[in-house]
Amino acid sequence: MKNVRLAHITAFAISLFLCAHSAFANEKFAATVHGYESFRAKDWESAAIFFRQSVNTPSERSPEILYMLIVSEMNAQEYKNVASDCDFFLQSYPDSQYRPAVMFQKARSAFCLKDYSGAILLFSDFCNANVGNALYASALYWIAESFYALYDFDSAKDFYERIVANYADEPKYEDSKRRLEEIAHWEREEKLLYLLKITGEEYLAAKEEYERELKLYKNSDIDGLRQRLREYGLKISELEARNAELEAEAEKARLEAKAANDAAAAASVSKPSVSAPPMVVPTKAGSAVEVPVKNGEKGSDAGKKNEPPEKKSAETIMTESELEALKAKALRIQELLGGNSSEEDGTEK
């Protein structure tokens, strides 16, 4: 479509040149003629300069000259001048046949100035006012390009798809297909990045939760261990105290048994009769207390049948009571030390 547009401009320029050539001698047409020659040679900077001179001369100014100036400035990348000249054209020639093309060029200048939001509005105005125009598909394409530049890929995709679906013969068809492929590739990358992000966030959350649970477990386990250690410490202290008490009682009983044994031995020595072998009274495991026995007696009751009770001396009665006390002491010691003296003596507990 751009080539068609240039063909119309060229045809107009030729006719203008023929008209201007007949009056070449008149200097007031000199700037226009030089402008046309520069335009045909695609010397856009020179063409813009000459056409600017023509436009500034009211007698030479026309919609065609002003439009050629706009095209020359557009190709020379003088976008700010294009915008201002388009505004001047639309105000000066509202009914001109070049009005749609000038609207299109104004929108293009906004896009080139990277005013993408402004370009979207201007191209949209062009499409609404010029449905079916030869530049309509190109306007849709530049709207899509503006959205693409703003990273609004969803909106850009809609316009590219319209071009691919409805304007297969337009020059922007292949460019639109390429853009759709780029957007699809970008969408795949975005989806992948999103999944990676979600996965990473879930991983970090799971890791933090695991570390938190592990910390709580360790703390609770340490607290439980400390509690158990405290309980064991108390139990050990109680056992140590109980053991000390038992040892004290055992030592006391041992001393009492020894004292009783010594007293019994002393009493036995004071008697004139021959003493029998001492009777052994168990006191605790592995030890015993010897109790002296009179000659001819068995145990503490020996000779009872032969000697009446009234003939026993006071010394003999004291010795028997001491023996009974010693037996009781021995049984007490056995109970404390866990021995089995009761079973050996044949007594019941």
Side-chain angles (χ1 to χ4, degrees):
M1 299 309 300
K2 185 176 180 181
N3 294 333
V4 174
R5 190 166 60 252
L6 290 176
H8 287 299
I9 295 172
T10 303
F12 164 74
I14 292 173
S15 62
L16 181 65
F17 176 76
L18 293 176
C19 295
H21 185 71
S22 60
F24 185 76
N26 193 338
E27 293 182 358
K28 69 178 182 178
F29 295 109
T32 302
V33 173
H34 289 303
Y36 167 72
E37 291 175 348
S38 299
F39 190 92
R40 185 176 60 179
K42 297 183 180 180
D43 182 3
W44 306 115
E45 291 80 2
S46 298
I49 293 172
F50 288 122
F51 286 134
R52 173 69 61 191
Q53 294 177 3
S54 299
V55 169
N56 290 335
T57 304
S59 59
E60 294 187 43
R61 184 190 307 152
S62 66
E64 291 79 13
I65 296 297
L66 185 55
Y67 178 71
M68 293 180 72
L69 171 63
I70 291 170
V71 174
S72 299
E73 290 172 341
M74 193 70 194
N75 286 285
Q77 300 181 0
E78 299 175 6
Y79 304 124
K80 292 184 178 180
N81 291 335
V82 170
S84 61
D85 288 335
C86 286
D87 290 336
F88 179 74
F89 185 100
L90 295 174
Q91 292 175 1
S92 302
Y93 307 104
D95 299 326
S96 173
Q97 61 178 342
Y98 298 107
R99 180 179 177 84
V102 171
M103 292 177 68
F104 185 88
Q105 294 299 338
K106 181 181 179 180
R108 282 277 288 123
S109 67
F111 180 88
C112 293
L113 290 171
K114 297 183 179 181
D115 180 13
Y116 301 118
S117 298
I120 291 170
L121 294 175
L122 292 172
F123 280 119
S124 298
D125 291 340
F126 171 85
C127 291
N128 292 331
N130 301 279
V131 177
N133 189 279
L135 296 173
Y136 188 86
S138 294
L140 293 177
Y141 174 80
W142 289 111
I143 291 174
E145 286 288 285
S146 299
F147 279 120
Y148 189 89
L150 292 172
Y151 299 98
D152 187 354
F153 299 123
D154 291 335
S155 299
K157 183 179 179 180
D158 293 339
F159 285 93
Y160 289 131
E161 288 176 345
R162 285 181 62 184
I163 296 170
V164 171
N166 302 316
Y167 301 97
D169 297 332
E170 291 292 330
K172 298 300 181 182
Y173 174 81
E174 294 297 332
D175 293 337
S176 298
K177 285 182 63 177
R178 179 174 54 83
R179 285 296 195 196
L180 287 174
E181 292 174 358
E182 292 176 359
I183 290 174
H185 179 70
W186 173 83
E187 287 177 343
R188 288 193 296 270
E189 289 183 350
E190 285 295 310
K191 186 175 181 180
L192 179 60
L193 291 175
Y194 175 76
L195 293 175
L196 289 174
K197 180 181 178 181
I198 295 299
T199 304
E201 291 176 352
E202 291 179 352
Y203 166 75
L204 291 176
K207 183 179 179 182
E208 292 176 357
E209 181 65 17
Y210 168 76
E211 292 176 350
R212 187 180 69 83
E213 292 291 339
L214 182 61
K215 185 176 180 181
L216 290 175
Y217 172 76
K218 287 181 177 179
N219 292 337
S220 62
D221 188 57
I222 290 173
D223 293 340
L225 179 60
R226 289 175 179 171
Q227 181 63 28
R228 288 194 294 274
L229 287 176
R230 284 194 293 268
E231 293 174 357
Y232 292 149
L234 292 174
K235 186 177 291 185
I236 289 171
S237 299
E238 293 175 358
L239 292 175
E240 288 178 347
R242 179 61 178 162
N243 187 46
E245 292 176 359
L246 293 175
E247 288 180 353
E249 290 181 4
E251 180 66 18
K252 183 179 178 181
R254 187 182 67 80
L255 292 175
E256 291 177 352
K258 185 176 182 301
N261 188 32
D262 292 341
S268 176
V269 170
S270 64
K271 295 293 288 183
S273 60
V274 179
S275 59
M279 182 177 66
V280 178
V281 179
T283 58
K284 60 180 180 179
S287 64
V289 177
E290 294 181 351
V291 179
V293 181
K294 291 181 181 181
N295 188 22
E297 293 183 350
K298 293 181 181 179
S300 60
D301 297 329
K304 282 184 180 181
K305 294 181 180 180
N306 299 323
E307 182 178 353
E310 62 270 7
K311 291 183 180 181
K312 291 181 181 179
S313 64
E315 186 182 37
T316 304
I317 295 172
M318 181 179 65
T319 302
E320 290 177 354
S321 64
E322 288 175 352
L323 289 174
E324 292 297 329
L326 287 174
K327 286 183 179 182
K329 291 288 185 179
L331 290 174
R332 176 61 178 165
I333 291 171
Q334 271 190 320
E335 290 177 359
L336 291 175
L337 297 178
N340 297 320
S341 59
S342 299
E343 294 177 0
E344 293 174 359
D345 295 337
T347 59
E348 293 182 0
K349 290 186 179 179

